[in-house]
Amino acid sequence: MRKINSFKFGFTIILFSIFSCESLGIWEQEEIIPFEIGDSLYFSLQDINQNSSSYGELIGPQDYNGKVVFIYFTSNETWDTCVDRFGHLYEIFENKIDENSGVTNAILIGVGKNNSISINEILADNKVTPWVKDESGNKTWDKFDAINRDLFIIDKFGILHSKENLTDIPNEYFYMGISSTIDQLINQ
């Protein structure tokens, strides 16, 4: 009988501590679950590129349904390597613009961290693609589980197709592969 009462008492204490922690909000912290291949991706951040048609608006991949979206994350918009990688991606984006209509079936979005680094260098030569900076705490970077120079490719249905880090691998053939992947996704 004592063993049963001890068990009931112990079980009651455990239940009490679980429910009291929840009521105190100890376990109610926002949990960030990173996106994975096949997930639908979204964020809503202000476009700060004055040359972009969406300048000043809150944008995210969800605003471009029907288009292939490729998102480049960089923590420093002035590092030569980051500027170079974005330049190559921008060339791919420009090649997806129809020469006659000016319409594109793909969009490139740059995402910087929440910092005071200027975007002038990475967006030199009047690049028209949207550029956003993350909010305080860099929650978008956390949600995407992004690191510096990550590229996310999202199909025209808003589903994550692939993620690649561009720090070490890029060469001419790599960028041709990205362009080919985007073409395949456009023609799905």
Side-chain angles (χ1 to χ4, degrees):
M1 185 73 166
R2 257 189 182 179
K3 285 184 178 181
I4 292 174
N5 284 337
S6 297
F7 175 77
K8 285 182 182 178
F9 179 75
F11 186 72
T12 305
I13 295 297
I14 290 171
L15 285 177
F16 177 77
S17 63
I18 289 172
F19 289 112
S20 64
C21 286
E22 284 182 347
S23 65
L24 292 173
I26 293 172
W27 289 343
E28 290 183 13
Q29 296 176 7
E30 181 180 336
E31 182 179 357
I32 296 176
I33 301 171
F35 291 117
E36 295 179 359
I37 303 297
D39 284 353
S40 179
L41 302 179
Y42 58 89
F43 60 74
S44 188
L45 299 169
Q46 185 176 22
D47 182 0
I48 59 173
N49 180 6
Q50 294 179 352
N51 297 316
S52 168
S53 62
S54 57
Y55 173 68
E57 297 174 20
L58 293 176
I59 62 144
Q62 69 279 1
D63 297 316
Y64 300 99
N65 283 336
K67 295 183 183 215
V68 176
V69 180
F70 47 126
I71 304 172
Y72 179 66
F73 284 81
T74 181
S75 60
N76 189 331
E77 293 91 338
T78 59
W79 285 348
D80 290 343
T81 305
C82 297
V83 172
D84 175 69
R85 301 300 190 261
F86 187 74
H88 286 289
L89 295 173
Y90 191 78
E91 286 176 26
I92 293 170
F93 163 70
E94 282 186 312
N95 289 330
K96 305 304 175 203
I97 299 173
D98 182 276
E99 292 177 12
N100 297 322
S101 67
V103 173
T104 182
N105 291 319
I107 190 78
L108 169 63
I109 301 173
V111 180
K113 281 201 168 185
N114 181 6
N115 57 33
S116 59
I117 296 173
S118 170
I119 62 170
N120 293 337
E121 190 171 339
I122 205 159
L123 295 174
D125 303 322
N126 297 314
K127 291 180 175 73
V128 297
T129 192
W131 192 275
V132 299
K133 292 264 193 177
D134 205 353
E135 57 195 14
S136 178
N138 295 307
K139 292 178 183 171
T140 302
W141 279 66
D142 291 342
K143 193 183 292 185
F144 276 70
D145 196 23
I147 61 172
N148 194 31
R149 300 185 195 110
D150 268 353
L151 173 67
F152 291 76
I153 300 178
I154 302 167
D155 70 17
K156 59 187 177 182
F157 306 105
I159 305 300
L160 177 60
H161 174 271
S162 57
K163 172 185 175 182
E164 194 76 50
N165 186 273
L166 306 185
T167 297
D168 296 326
I169 21 182
N171 60 39
E172 179 181 335
Y173 299 107
F174 178 78
Y175 290 112
M176 288 170 43
I178 291 173
S179 183
S180 176
T181 297
I182 291 170
D183 288 338
Q184 290 172 4
L185 293 172
I186 287 172
N187 295 318
Q188 271 184 327

